[in-house]
Structure formats: C-alpha cells, structure tokens
Amino acid sequence: MNDQEKITSNQLMAIMLSTIIGIGILTLPRTVTEAAGPDGWMLVLAGGVVAIILSVVISRLGLMFPGKTVVEYSGDIITKPLGIIFSLGFFTYYVLFCAFEARVFAEVTKQFLLDRTPSEAIIITMLLGAAYLARQDIATVGRMGEMLVPVFILPPILFLLPGIPEMDLTNLLPFMRTSPGKLLTGFGTIVTSYLGFEALLLFQPFMARPRDAAKAMTVALISIILIYVLAVVTAVAMFGVVEIQQLIWPTFAVYRVIEIPGAFIENIHGVVMAIWVVAVYTTLAVFFFAAVTILGRILSLKEHSFTALPLALLIYFLALVPNNVSQVYNYLDAFSLYLGIPFGFVLPAVLYIIAKVRGMGKEGGNGREKQAKKSG
Amino acid sequence: MGLLDRFRPKKQEKEPSKEEAKDKASSSLDKNLKYLKDKLKDCNDVVYREFRVGNRQQFRFALVYVDGLVDRNMLNEEVLKSLMLQTKHANLSPGIITGDVFSIALRSGLTTGEVKEEEYIDKSMIALLSGDSLVLVDGYKKVLVIGSKGWPSRGVQEPQTESVIRGPRDGFTETMRFNTALLRRRLRDPNLKIKQIKVGVRSKTDVALAYMDNIVDKNVLKEVEKRLESINIDGVLESGYIESFIEDQKYSIFPQVQSTERPDRVAASLLEGRVAIITDNTPFVLLVPATLNILFQSSEDYYERWFIASFIRILRYASAFISLVLPAVYIAITSYHPGLIPTDLALYIAGTRTGVPFPAFIEAIIMELTLELLREAGIRLPGPIGQTIGIVGGLVIGQAAVQAGLVSPIMVIVVAITAIASFAVSSYSVGIAFRILRFFIIALSAVLGLYGLVMGLLLTLVHLCSLKSFGVPYLAPLVGNTYYELGDALVRAPQTVMYRRPKTLAGGNMIRMRVGGAKGTSGGGSGKDGDEGGGGEAKAGSVKAGDGNGKGKAGERKAGGGRDNGQKSGGQQEGGPGTGE
C-alpha cells in the first residue's frame, strides 16, 4: 500500500466536499427549522465550526502516527483488541451509512425522477456503480472528486439566481429569538449533517503532505457551511418557517418553484435531480471506499478490491430493511445519534486525548507549531 | 485477469536473436561466403559479386547485397568503381603502402559516406537484410558494412488522417530515416536524441526513441525504454503492435498512447517533454505519455490565433460530449421525463412518434447501428463507390425510414447530429471510444432514464480517473496540482501565457519562452505582461542554477537565437534558457 499514489490537499478538499454533501442537504432546511425556527442557519454555522474543530483534532491525531490509518493507530492507542473492535464499529458505521444513503437516494429518485421504477433497481445500480469506484485506489477517488465538485456545486447555486424574486428574507425574522435550550437540543441533530469529515481518519496517510490536511479540511468545511447556510436561507426565505415543515425534501422544493426565464428546460428540478445523483454517488462511493479500506486493513489484505462486490450485496439488503420513508428517517435519526455522533465526534476526540495522555506520537509538536502559524 | 494471462506469450519461448549471436567472421573469404550462402539459402534476392582489386589483381574482394533494398547506382559508383578501377593505377606493393588493404579500403578506397567495420558475421547479415551491403576481403577477419539503403519508397506527402487548414503539409512516411530527418529539420538542437533499437525477433524492425534530453521526464523515458525492451514478439508490422505492448491499461476502451502522422506535432510534443516512438514501415509515430486532453488537441490549435483556437477546442469537447450523450438524453426524456422539456416540444415529439412501432431505445439502436454500418462500409470501399454508399445511406436514413414510419424524424436529426459530433473529435481512436461508450449509455438511460444516463457518465468518469499513461493521470491537467496547465486544456491560452512547459509532462527546463522582458524595458508593455515576465525570469534563474546543461545552452543559443528572437534584449537572453530548448 505504500507505493500507492498519494492525493494532494486539493484532492482531499474535493473528496470532503463531495462526501459530506449528500442526502443530508435535502432535509436540512426542515430539520433546522424544526429545531430552531428562523434561527436555524446559526445552528448550521455552529455545527460546522464543531466539525472544523474535530477535523483539526483528527488531523493532529493522524500526524502523530505518520503513514498509519485509524485502523492501525487505534490499536496502538487503546491496545490491539480494542482497536480492532473500534475498527469493526467504524466499518459497521460506514456500511450502515452507505445503506441509508442508497435507500434515501432511491426514495427521492422514485419521487422525482422514476416513479415506476422499483427501489431495488435503483439501489442495486447505485451500489454497483459505487462498488466500481470503491475497487479503485485513493488517487482515483481524489481525481473523481476534483472532476465532480464543480459539477455538482456550481450549477445548483446558479439555478438559485432566477428564484431571488420569489424569496422573502423577512421569513428569516425574528432574529435570535430561539431559546438557548432549544438551540442546544437541536444542535445534536444538525451536527450530524456534517458527518463524513471523519473519513480523514482513513485518508490522511494517503496524502502527499499530511500536514496540509487541517488546512484543506477547514477550507472544505467552510465551503460546506456556506452551501448549507445558503440552502437553509433560500428554503426558509422561499417557503417560510411554517410551510417548510410540511415538506419532506425542502431543498428540492425550492427548485420546483424556480423557473428559468427563456430557458429550454421547463422544470429545472429534473436537472438538479440529475446533478444531485452525482453528489449522492460521490458520498456513497467514498463511504463505500472507506468501508472497503477499513475491512482490507483489518484483515491485512494486499488487495482490497475484491471485497467490494460482496459488500455491495450486504449493503443492498440492509438498505431494504426499512419499510417506508418515515421509517427510513426514524432509523437514520437513531443511526446518527448512536453511531454517527460517537464515531464522528466523540471517539476521535477520545482517541486523541488518550494518545496525548499516553504521550504518543513523535510529530505532535510539529503539528502544534503548524497550528500556531496558521492562527497567527 | 488470471484467465487472460494464459493467452500471453511465455517469455522463454523464443529468443533466437540471443542464441544466434556472435558468430565471428573468418579470415577466409570463401568461408565467409559459404557461411552467408548457407544461412541465406534459397534467398534469391541476395546478390554475391566477387572481384579482384589492385594493380596486379592480387586482392580478393566480394560484395554482397540484397537486390531491391540497395541503391545500386551508389554501389556501382562508389564501391565497385572506386575499388576496381581506381586502385588499378595505384602501386599497392607492400613496400609502398602502410597498413593492410582492409584499412586502406576503409580509409581511402571506398568513396561512400557510411562505412562500418563489423567483427561478427551474423550481425552483419542482419545489416545486409536491412539494406546495407557487405564488402568481404580475403585474409581479414572483419566485414565492411556499407550503408547503401535505397529502396523504392513513398515520398513525403500530406498526411491523410490529420489534415489542417493552416500548418505544414508534410507528413511522415514509411521510411524511418525520412521521419527522423523531418524531426531533425524542425529541432536543430543537440538535445534532440534519437535512440534506435530493434524490436521483433523475426522482423527486427527499427524503432527509434526521440526525445529532448534536457526536457524529457527521465522516469518516463526509463519506463518507455523498459517497456520497449520487454517486448518479445515475432514481428512488428505497425506501431499499433508496439502500442498494444506499452500501454498501461490493456482492458480500457480509451487509447493511452497518441499516434500521429504529423512531424510538427511530434516536434511540439518533444518540446513539451514527451517521448516519440518512431517505428519503421509506418507513418504513424507514437507519442507518450498521452492524456485525454492531448488527444483532443490538434496541431493547428497552436497556429491559429488563440481566440479561434480556444473556440474550436471548446467546440471539440462539446462535440465529444454530444456524441456521447445526445441519443441517451433523447431516450431518457421521451420515455421517462417528458415533463422536463417545454410542453409544446414534448407534444410535438410525441406527435412525430405516433405510428412508430418501436420504443425510442430500439429506434435509437437501429439508427445508430445503421450509421456505424454506413461509416464502416464507406471506409473500406474505393472512393466513388464510397460516395454511392453515402447517398444510399442518406436516402435510407433520411427519407425512406421516416416515410415508412419506422423511425421518427426527430430521431434522424438526433442520430445525424451525433454522427457529425463524433467526427469532430480530432483523434480517431478517441472518437471511436466515445462512439462505443454511447451504446452503453443509451442502454443505461433506456432502463433508468436520466438517472441511468448520469450513472453511465459517472462510471465512464471513474474509469477515466483510474487511467494513467506512463505515470501521468489520464485526465491531467484537469486533476492534480497542475492548474496553470489549464491554459492549454479546454481553451488554448495565448502563447505568452503558456510560458511554462506542462509540469505533468516535462522533467526539467520548465521555462519555454521569455515573455514581456523586452516590452518591459522599452516601457511600452502593459503592466500585466511585465509582471508575468518577471515571474518567468525568477523561475528561469532557479532552473538555470539547478541545471548546468541549460546554462551552457543559453550561451550557445544566443548567437543563433538572436535573429529568431530579435525583439528580446540580449542581456535577458543570457539570463535563462532560450526559446529553442
């Protein structure tokens, strides 16, 4: 694995952008307004800041163990058996994440694009497509991100422009009227929409310059915060706090309202759907890749690619477990709470603290130096 | 892949070239002749001419050549005549001459340019079979190999496959020597290296590696040499044989090696740090590494003004995309998402499709296959009949099928646009790759609509991302930290902006030209240009410091280059590598 081609920090940035933006953005305006009404966008901001802090922690953790992924260094930090249990949990987390991603994708696609196609067909094609990328090496994933990020970020933002007359920014008022207690309870759900950044635990050793990870992560997460805030603000401005809670996928609803003047395309939401397919694909494929990588590293396989197809089958059956959309979202909430938050936020921090307490890692000092330089 | 390994030739199977080697020439003329005659038994195109030389006819000589491969006039004039007639009057008695007759023949007897001594008779036999002639002298253990290659060959003509509006009209031919000469004419630089090896156990085809010594990426060069040396095949009849052995990913639909007939294109590529592989007996020269971006370029892009070139290049990329997705988009929209297009258009399309018995997918496949058939038929037939096929095809596709109600007129338009678009792709092999992929994407979008279409494109992209050509990502410079090269990707920026060589390809000597320096000193240049020149200078300085070769070159270039780059100030010319390196 050491002779593998490395990724640049731009590629890491692209991978993170394409990983974190996935199914979450569709429901984000609803969940934040449920939690905090018109002040929801501030929750988004706060969640993003937490994600940035955690990713900096993860990158420092990675710098302590150069050339190692979390699968190896978790064993170093919390003894081998516990490390393997941790890695297996991490693996399960990614497999389940893939399953949710595929299922939600199928539900949305059925609703907006292919109303008569069975979910099974949509899920299996999506998973096979993702498995194809998961079979490649990290550099391919990085290039893929670089190619696709502009494709799925710029057009949806541009398509918002004709919708500006429909928006009413007074919907965002009153400002700062939500009680702090309510904000705090909502925070837990919002922060999970940033899940995906913890893949840095795996990808950092593949970077040509692992030192740049923190910077790249910060830039990527700031971009994502801006995109999320934009999504929330436009949706709230367009529909208002009350109406938005009636919509399952308010972000798409925005594009149903928008009409591009003089354009050939009648319904822009179809195009946005097609672009969103790209966003979901990249998310799913990167998680899939992460799962395959973890599995390969736990089993110390030389070649990880052959585990992709059996894994696709497993994810397929997992994706079909929930019966309907509301059940999917109930399970997803439970998943975010019981697996997402621990693996994304808590455990990396715990690992970092334990490693620090045990005084491990030779490069910790340099990492701090770099951090100081950046803030100064 | 394991299954396919079985079909690969085993390495040890045949290496006759090595076991056969090193038969030394004997000192007896008769023995040598016998050796040749034994080996070349039943080769009636080999001519043996024995003659005597000297005022007393005391030295026995023999000339051996392959009839048809040699320039017979030259042999008559410069070998036979000079040896037989002119030595008659010279006094060759042992007291007067020094040295042996062999070296005298070599030094002053043969009035021809290319003469080599050869110790091994089997090696000289290979030379004989490649068009050289052998002069054997009785009593000497060496063979004289005379470069007398001269066979009927096609002259330099305009390349058929890559014609340009503006640009040189000469193209490569089947004779490798002409091809290397065409390159040398363009790059009069000692750094242009042309390294020759033989490939093919039986064909012993000459293959030359051409590269610029101080620009090429040494790792790429080493890799090319390694892969060329590992080729073990009986015959190389075209550069395509070599391509299939050196490409990175054999199971890919995309070409990872560029082939071209244009010497100007090869010269430009060498200046970018790429390696050219010139194969004898074919006008197609291979260029590595090749990226998708490079395959989309045309040499004309650099001769036209940048604005026009950029427009054409964008058009080319767009046409490739259209040729890939247009039928699929049509199918997806008509069968799954008619709501996406304006209602009037959707109704109109539905109207034209009434009475068509096939679903859009079958309709598209029928039309696309017909088109591919017509294309293939048109290529194989001689010119006039080819045109007939075109007319018949046009009628069949355009009129009859629509009138018969088998296909809708919109489908005809879609297929026609697709065909035109696919021919606008500058590289034939890339065009074909996109044409084949089109069927895959049509099938996906017929099953899964717009989602299938996007998935098809994503899978194609994953494949493209996974490809590499000699260590260079296939999608460079769109990926990787090479953003300044984007000036030569989707658009073609003005030459002055592209003052650096592509980092993905070149290995050293990164500054290609001096920009804006002269303008800056005369005070007339715009501020922006001046800035760029400054940046370039700083870079050039650092390159120079690291590269002693480049420094020497700069001085060398100054005399010659002064005229070419008259507007540039001499002082700055000294500072960094000149334009030509």
Side-chain angles (χ1 to χ4, degrees):
Chain A
M1 283 258 184
N2 285 332
D3 55 341
Q4 219 176 15
E5 200 191 338
K6 304 284 187 192
I7 54 171
T8 66
S9 70
N10 281 344
Q11 281 171 340
L12 179 79
M13 217 144 74
I15 292 177
M16 283 304 154
L17 270 166
S18 53
T19 308
I20 297 171
I21 299 177
I23 53 169
I25 196 168
L26 291 191
T27 51
L28 188 70
R30 179 164 52 84
T31 46
V32 292
T33 37
E34 271 168 8
D39 290 333
W41 59 272
M42 285 187 294
L43 274 187
V44 176
L45 209 67
V49 171
V50 172
I52 291 175
I53 294 169
L54 258 297
S55 59
V56 169
V57 168
I58 293 175
S59 76
R60 292 240 224 140
L61 189 58
L63 284 180
M64 287 185 199
F65 303 93
K68 286 182 175 175
T69 68
V70 71
V71 180
E72 287 95 26
Y73 66 65
S74 66
D76 293 352
I77 298 175
I78 49 170
T79 70
K80 190 104 184 166
L82 278 178
I84 287 181
I85 290 171
F86 171 78
S87 306
L88 279 175
F90 210 34
F91 170 72
T92 318
Y93 160 74
Y94 276 127
V95 168
L96 287 175
F97 214 143
C98 286
F100 279 114
E101 192 86 13
R103 180 60 189 266
V104 172
F105 173 73
E107 294 297 335
V108 179
T109 312
K110 259 176 93 74
Q111 171 107 8
F112 290 96
L113 272 184
L114 301 163
D115 43 1
R116 280 178 299 169
T117 311
S119 306
E120 287 83 353
I122 299 173
I123 293 174
I124 197 72
T125 43
M126 189 41 127
L127 286 176
L128 288 178
Y132 183 52
L133 182 58
R135 288 171 60 89
Q136 316 290 336
D137 61 341
I138 181 86
T140 306
V141 179
R143 287 184 214 128
M144 200 62 190
E146 256 180 314
M147 292 299 289
L148 289 178
V149 161
V151 172
F152 72 80
I153 287 183
L154 292 182
I157 292 176
L158 288 179
F159 290 153
L160 285 177
L161 292 179
I164 290 176
E166 312 271 337
M167 294 176 203
D168 182 6
L169 287 178
T170 54
N171 282 340
L172 289 165
L173 299 174
F175 183 59
M176 290 285 266
R177 283 293 181 80
T178 329
S179 68
K182 208 177 167 197
L183 279 179
L184 213 62
T185 41
F187 183 72
T189 34
I190 303 312
V191 91
T192 56
S193 55
Y194 288 96
L195 282 180
F197 69 86
E198 77 289 343
L200 182 67
L201 286 170
L202 285 171
F203 294 158
Q204 197 172 6
F206 297 119
M207 287 183 72
R209 292 167 64 197
R211 217 161 278 283
D212 294 349
K215 204 163 135 202
M217 291 298 293
T218 311
V219 175
L221 281 166
I222 287 174
S223 318
I224 292 166
I225 292 172
L226 292 179
I227 291 165
Y228 276 3
V229 167
L230 187 68
V232 172
V233 166
T234 47
V236 173
M238 205 169 259
F239 301 114
V241 174
V242 183
E243 197 186 332
I244 218 169
Q245 301 190 13
Q246 312 301 316
L247 301 162
I248 311 181
W249 295 303
T251 309
F252 268 143
V254 168
Y255 290 99
R256 295 210 112 163
V257 177
I258 292 171
E259 269 180 46
I260 293 191
F264 171 74
I265 302 158
E266 186 96 320
N267 288 320
I268 202 70
H269 83 266
V271 178
V272 173
M273 251 320 284
I275 291 168
W276 182 70
V277 172
V278 176
V280 172
Y281 176 82
T282 49
T283 308
L284 184 55
V286 173
F287 283 152
F288 204 141
F289 181 83
V292 166
T293 311
I294 296 175
L295 190 63
R297 295 210 155 217
I298 293 176
L299 303 175
S300 331
L301 301 174
K302 267 191 192 134
E303 188 73 38
H304 69 252
S305 61
F306 69 91
T307 53
L309 281 178
L311 213 54
L313 208 64
L314 174 69
I315 295 172
Y316 170 72
F317 286 118
L318 285 173
L320 289 177
V321 168
N323 290 318
N324 50 44
V325 187
S326 66
Q327 213 174 19
V328 172
Y329 275 106
N330 286 340
Y331 286 170
L332 186 56
D333 286 344
F335 166 77
S336 315
L337 195 61
Y338 296 118
L339 279 178
I341 295 201
F343 278 98
F345 295 90
V346 181
L347 290 178
V350 170
L351 279 183
Y352 180 69
I353 291 165
I354 296 177
K356 269 277 158 213
V357 169
R358 292 184 62 183
M360 299 174 94
K362 40 188 167 182
E363 301 226 335
N366 290 336
R368 205 177 303 128
E369 227 172 75
K370 170 122 181 116
Q371 205 54 36
K373 208 188 290 169
K374 205 175 58 153
S375 55
Chain B
M1 308 253 160
L3 253 181
L4 289 159
D5 280 45
R6 200 180 300 170
F7 300 108
R8 293 201 184 114
K10 291 204 180 65
K11 271 237 152 150
Q12 294 83 359
E13 238 167 47
K14 45 182 182 197
E15 277 191 48
S17 59
K18 271 177 194 140
E19 62 192 60
E20 205 178 296
K22 318 302 173 209
D23 279 343
K24 284 205 176 181
S26 142
S27 61
S28 150
L29 178 66
D30 295 319
K31 262 191 188 163
N32 283 340
L33 278 179
K34 190 171 174 301
Y35 179 89
L36 286 176
K37 279 179 181 165
D38 272 356
K39 286 270 175 187
L40 301 170
K41 206 174 133 196
D42 291 339
C43 297
N44 292 338
D45 52 346
V46 184
V47 176
Y48 306 88
R49 169 79 165 89
E50 288 178 61
F51 56 96
R52 282 168 180 272
V53 171
N55 50 357
R56 282 176 286 133
Q57 304 288 305
Q58 65 274 53
F59 305 109
R60 284 183 61 210
F61 275 63
L63 173 71
V64 188
Y65 62 88
V66 178
D67 199 17
L69 282 187
V70 297
D71 181 353
R72 228 191 287 174
N73 277 340
M74 178 230 142
L75 280 185
N76 289 345
E77 285 294 318
E78 289 165 17
V79 178
L80 293 178
K81 206 171 173 184
S82 50
L83 281 177
M84 288 157 83
L85 291 182
Q86 282 160 22
T87 53
K88 240 179 206 168
H89 314 296
N91 185 5
L92 290 175
S93 53
I96 292 176
I97 58 167
T98 54
D100 53 59
V101 69
F102 184 85
S103 38
I104 289 174
L106 179 59
R107 274 207 313 267
S108 47
L110 296 164
T111 55
T112 170
E114 195 187 332
V115 185
K116 275 193 311 228
E117 285 178 64
E118 182 57 65
E119 219 174 316
Y120 297 99
I121 189 139
D122 50 350
K123 245 175 145 183
S124 57
M125 190 170 67
I126 302 302
L128 170 72
L129 292 175
S130 10
D132 290 334
S133 332
L134 310 181
V135 171
L136 307 165
V137 188
D138 194 26
Y140 296 96
K141 279 191 167 178
K142 279 182 185 166
V143 181
L144 287 176
V145 179
I146 296 167
S148 59
K149 293 191 180 83
W151 51 79
S153 61
R154 194 168 65 98
V156 173
Q157 285 169 351
E158 193 176 349
Q160 295 285 313
T161 53
E162 291 163 273
S163 37
V164 292
I165 309 268
R166 175 171 179 180
R169 302 273 182 234
D170 52 351
F172 288 126
T173 72
E174 282 75 8
T175 312
M176 194 179 79
R177 223 6 103 215
F178 293 180
N179 297 347
T180 55
L182 285 173
L183 276 186
R184 192 63 86 177
R185 287 245 309 120
R186 283 175 169 77
L187 302 169
R188 297 159 195 181
D189 184 326
N191 284 305
L192 169 61
K193 308 293 181 201
I194 297 177
K195 237 190 209 173
Q196 219 161 303
I197 58 168
K198 283 194 195 297
V199 180
V201 174
R202 289 179 198 286
S203 69
K204 300 204 172 53
T205 312
D206 285 323
V207 174
L209 277 178
Y211 56 90
M212 300 299 284
D213 201 26
N214 53 357
I215 300 174
V216 73
D217 185 342
K218 291 286 187 297
N219 295 327
V220 171
L221 181 65
K222 231 183 266 166
E223 184 65 29
V224 175
E225 282 176 343
K226 204 183 91 196
R227 291 189 196 178
L228 277 180
E229 271 158 23
S230 72
I231 298 177
N232 192 322
I233 187 178
D234 53 350
V236 174
L237 305 180
E238 214 273 340
S239 48
Y241 284 59
I242 291 181
E243 181 180 348
S244 67
F245 278 95
I246 62 172
E247 64 192 353
D248 287 67
Q249 179 58 263
K250 291 179 181 58
Y251 308 105
S252 171
I253 196 168
F254 289 97
Q256 297 136 59
V257 175
Q258 184 188 11
S259 64
T260 180
E261 276 189 273
R262 300 190 59 86
D264 53 333
R265 200 165 187 181
V266 174
S269 304
L270 295 185
L271 289 178
E272 285 183 338
R274 298 168 73 201
V275 180
I277 301 165
I278 310 169
T279 314
D280 202 13
N281 292 322
T282 177
F284 288 95
V285 170
L286 303 179
L287 289 167
V288 291
T291 65
L292 191 65
N293 178 39
I294 285 171
L295 292 167
F296 266 95
Q297 294 169 353
S298 149
S299 52
E300 200 178 356
D301 290 356
Y302 303 90
Y303 309 145
E304 287 290 356
R305 300 191 54 248
W306 71 272
F307 211 84
I308 304 162
S310 299
F311 174 70
I312 291 173
R313 209 176 258 184
I314 292 170
L315 206 63
R316 230 178 265 145
Y317 274 97
S319 72
F321 189 69
I322 287 172
S323 80
L324 191 62
V325 302
L326 190 62
V329 167
Y330 175 78
I331 291 170
I333 285 180
T334 53
S335 1
Y336 288 92
H337 327 283
L340 288 187
I341 48 175
T343 322
D344 289 348
L345 185 66
L347 286 177
Y348 174 70
I349 291 177
T352 59
R353 283 191 44 78
T354 48
V356 175
F358 307 115
F361 170 62
I362 304 289
E363 204 186 339
I365 292 289
I366 292 175
M367 294 305 284
E368 290 287 345
L369 282 180
T370 317
L371 189 92
E372 294 295 312
L373 264 178
L374 283 170
R375 191 187 51 78
E376 185 61 21
I379 291 176
R380 302 287 160 237
L381 287 172
I385 308 176
Q387 282 169 17
T388 320
I389 286 284
I391 294 165
V392 170
L395 281 177
V396 168
I397 293 187
Q399 286 290 166
V402 172
Q403 276 180 2
L406 286 176
V407 293
S408 64
I410 304 239
M411 185 48 108
V412 174
I413 296 173
V414 166
V415 170
I417 293 176
T418 314
I420 295 169
S422 76
F423 290 127
V425 178
S426 53
S427 158
Y428 179 72
S429 43
V430 171
I432 290 241
F434 278 118
R435 272 215 291 276
I436 297 171
L437 277 177
R438 181 170 69 209
F439 287 101
F440 162 68
I441 289 176
I442 286 177
L444 270 175
S445 67
V447 182
L448 292 168
L450 213 48
Y451 161 58
L453 170 71
V454 173
M455 278 310 281
L457 289 177
L458 282 173
L459 292 181
T460 311
L461 191 63
V462 173
H463 177 67
L464 283 172
C465 285
S466 71
L467 280 183
K468 288 181 104 183
S469 173
F470 289 87
V472 177
Y474 199 54
L475 287 178
L478 299 175
V479 298
N481 271 349
T482 49
Y483 299 111
Y484 75 81
E485 290 170 40
L486 288 176
D488 198 9
L490 290 171
V491 294
R492 200 277 279 169
Q495 295 278 11
T496 46
V497 174
M498 303 189 290
Y499 63 91
R500 280 186 282 189
R501 291 183 212 286
K503 196 170 75 184
T504 39
L505 303 170
N509 234 318
M510 296 308 289
I511 300 302
R512 189 202 276 269
M513 59 186 88
R514 321 283 295 126
V515 184
K519 262 191 216 156
T521 46
S522 65
S526 69
K528 199 175 166 235
D529 274 6
D531 283 350
E532 267 163 18
E537 248 163 76
K539 264 269 160 32
S542 63
V543 167
K544 196 189 77 178
D547 185 2
N549 198 1
K551 192 168 147 196
K553 288 280 307 141
E556 221 174 278
R557 283 288 301 170
K558 207 184 130 191
R563 195 173 27 130
D564 299 340
N565 313 314
Q567 77 273 39
K568 288 164 191 165
S569 68
Q572 262 160 1
Q573 181 74 23
E574 255 173 324
T579 323
E581 339 175 359

